[in-house]
Amino acid sequence: MPVSESPVAPTPSLSPVQPTPESTSTAAQPPATASPSGELASFIAGTEPRQVRIPKSQREVPAPGTLPLPPAVPPMRLRWATAIAMLIIHLVAVLAFFPAFFSWTGVALVFVGLYVFGTLGINVGYHRLLTHRGFKCPRWLERTFALLGVCSLEGGPARWVAMHRKHHQHSDEQPDPHSPLVNFLWGHIGWIIYENRDTDTAALAGKYARDLMTQDFYRKLEQKYRWLLVYVLHAVLFWVGGMIAGLILHPGDLGAASMYAAGIVVWGVAVRTVVVWHITWSVNSLSHLFGYQSHKTGENSRNNWLVALLSNGEGWHNNHHADQVCVAHGRKWWELDVTYITILGLRTLRLAWDLRLPDRHDHHDHHHGKPEAHA
């Protein structure tokens, strides 16, 4: 979390960058964007100059509740489309408390969906692969992860990536889009529903996610709310699957089948989306307020065991801020990181390679994962 983008945020129709030709990719080839360089590489690695040009370990971190709002936030002006969409999804999720919409299949779909769309889509895809390039994989698999991430309704891949890289550049400083040192609610949800002129522009993705915006696939997802269409289509697929299962369970009873399908959508889409949202947002908020620090990073990131368990490893947030490109967030034997275990599984299947692993000999302010050795 990884760090979340707003569920329904304004997406500029034009990209500030131009596309480049994409070569054909096979399972033996890394993605076209696997080796960014220059300023973009520094954003990915977390080595870009910060607003305060002093060593991170010597920075004075503001006390919670004392950091001002980002300077580009106007006087609390709501993103109405985002706020209304979030309210609707939460209200649909509340229907899960009504017996008419309950099914054990729906409950099971929540847990399966947390892994498929949350862990694979957000943690593996949006965060450790697209944002930090912690490993390489076939292009078809990268894009599959990206589409799974879109189905969590946290925005398009390029804008999510850009927001997260900006967060690392200014972590717990005033330009940080979502530091909870402003206050808990701002870091958890307020930054999503209120306007920010620095992040509500096409220039954000053009600067921080240029490696994605030069690819037709990602650029087109950002344009004309195509990523939102993907989310709607995946919800329709859940409804169709629920109708088919309902007709099998209740042959000849269209009403009963329809209610069963509605329950599948409530649990498998709405409830799962809301749970993924709050898990992701908790990495932004709770993991910058509560927990322990294993590294001096000059900001308030924390290792939070509860968030780590709920998020399958993203809550080991201080470890991540200390070594941003490293694909492993859990470092001690008891810091369980299911997301990293998943990536190791992909490596075993030869679907992932060049994993950025911890450099155990680097104890400076910036830790940078080193590529694994190849035989």
Side-chain angles (χ1 to χ4, degrees):
M1 280 297 189
V3 180
S4 161
E5 176 48 51
S6 56
V8 184
T11 303
S13 60
L14 296 177
S15 165
V17 294
Q18 296 299 317
T20 56
E22 297 183 29
S23 58
T24 303
S25 174
T26 67
Q29 296 175 320
T33 59
S35 301
S37 59
E39 180 189 39
L40 184 60
S42 72
F43 288 142
I44 296 172
T47 58
E48 70 296 320
R50 296 172 62 89
Q51 186 182 35
V52 181
R53 296 175 182 271
I54 59 176
K56 280 187 174 183
S57 60
Q58 298 177 20
R59 288 185 61 233
E60 288 191 13
V61 181
T66 65
L67 186 69
L69 285 167
V73 174
M76 308 311 284
R77 193 153 55 216
L78 274 174
R79 293 167 172 152
W80 283 103
T82 298
I84 292 172
M86 287 174 56
L87 177 61
I88 291 172
I89 297 293
H90 278 84
L91 290 176
V92 173
V94 169
L95 294 176
F97 291 100
F98 292 83
F101 296 97
F102 178 83
S103 73
W104 286 111
T105 302
V107 174
L109 285 175
V110 172
F111 289 96
V112 173
L114 288 176
Y115 181 78
V116 172
F117 301 106
T119 299
L120 295 182
I122 299 298
N123 299 0
V124 175
Y126 273 25
H127 192 204
R128 304 197 196 188
L129 176 59
L130 295 180
T131 300
H132 295 294
R133 293 296 172 186
F135 67 99
K136 299 176 184 177
C137 69
R139 179 172 292 160
W140 66 265
L141 184 58
E142 174 188 306
R143 293 179 177 178
T144 299
F145 288 146
L147 290 174
L148 291 176
V150 168
C151 294
S152 290
L153 199 59
E154 295 190 8
R159 199 162 185 277
W160 196 103
V161 165
M163 190 77 74
H164 189 67
R165 289 174 180 171
K166 183 176 178 67
H167 159 68
H168 275 287
Q169 182 186 20
H170 299 290
S171 181
D172 290 329
E173 298 174 343
Q174 191 178 6
D176 186 341
H178 47 64
S179 174
L181 300 189
V182 174
N183 60 62
F184 171 80
L185 287 177
W186 174 261
H188 192 77
I189 195 172
W191 69 278
I192 299 174
I193 61 176
Y194 286 102
E195 294 182 7
N196 183 335
R197 289 187 297 270
D198 277 349
T199 60
D200 293 346
T201 67
L204 178 77
K207 178 179 181 180
Y208 290 94
R210 189 169 61 251
D211 53 330
L212 301 185
M213 292 298 285
T214 53
Q215 299 183 57
D216 283 343
F217 176 79
Y218 294 108
R219 190 178 64 259
K220 289 179 179 178
L221 268 179
E222 300 294 327
Q223 295 171 343
K224 300 180 180 179
Y225 293 98
R226 290 190 179 96
W227 59 268
L228 182 56
L229 178 60
V230 171
Y231 181 84
V232 172
L233 289 176
H234 111 284
V236 170
L237 288 177
F238 269 81
W239 182 82
V240 171
M243 279 298 296
I244 293 172
L247 289 171
I248 293 173
L249 293 172
H250 307 281
D253 191 339
L254 187 60
S258 298
M259 283 301 300
Y260 184 85
I264 293 298
V265 173
V266 166
W267 284 90
V269 178
V271 172
R272 180 259 305 167
T273 296
V274 168
V275 174
V276 170
W277 280 352
H278 286 279
I279 290 174
T280 302
W281 301 341
S282 293
V283 178
N284 302 342
S285 57
L286 295 177
S287 293
H288 273 263
L289 291 174
F290 306 106
Y292 61 92
Q293 290 188 310
S294 299
H295 308 275
K296 293 182 178 180
T297 53
E299 37 76 68
N300 214 47
S301 63
R302 306 280 169 159
N303 292 324
N304 185 300
W305 65 267
L306 177 60
V307 176
L309 290 177
L310 293 174
S311 65
N312 282 341
E314 297 293 287
W316 307 122
H317 205 50
N318 178 246
N319 294 344
H320 170 53
H321 271 257
D323 196 350
Q324 295 167 23
V325 299
C326 179
V327 75
H329 291 189
R331 299 300 176 78
K332 296 179 173 64
W333 67 266
W334 47 267
E335 291 178 339
L336 179 64
D337 186 353
V338 174
T339 301
Y340 177 52
I341 294 171
T342 298
I343 296 170
L344 290 178
L346 293 172
R347 183 179 64 176
T348 300
L349 297 173
R350 300 193 175 186
L351 291 174
W353 58 89
D354 288 353
L355 276 61
R356 305 287 292 190
L357 301 177
D359 178 7
R360 301 185 184 279
H361 303 290
D362 184 357
H363 298 287
H364 297 89
D365 289 336
H366 288 285
H367 297 246
H368 306 296
K370 291 187 175 181
E372 60 181 339
H374 293 277

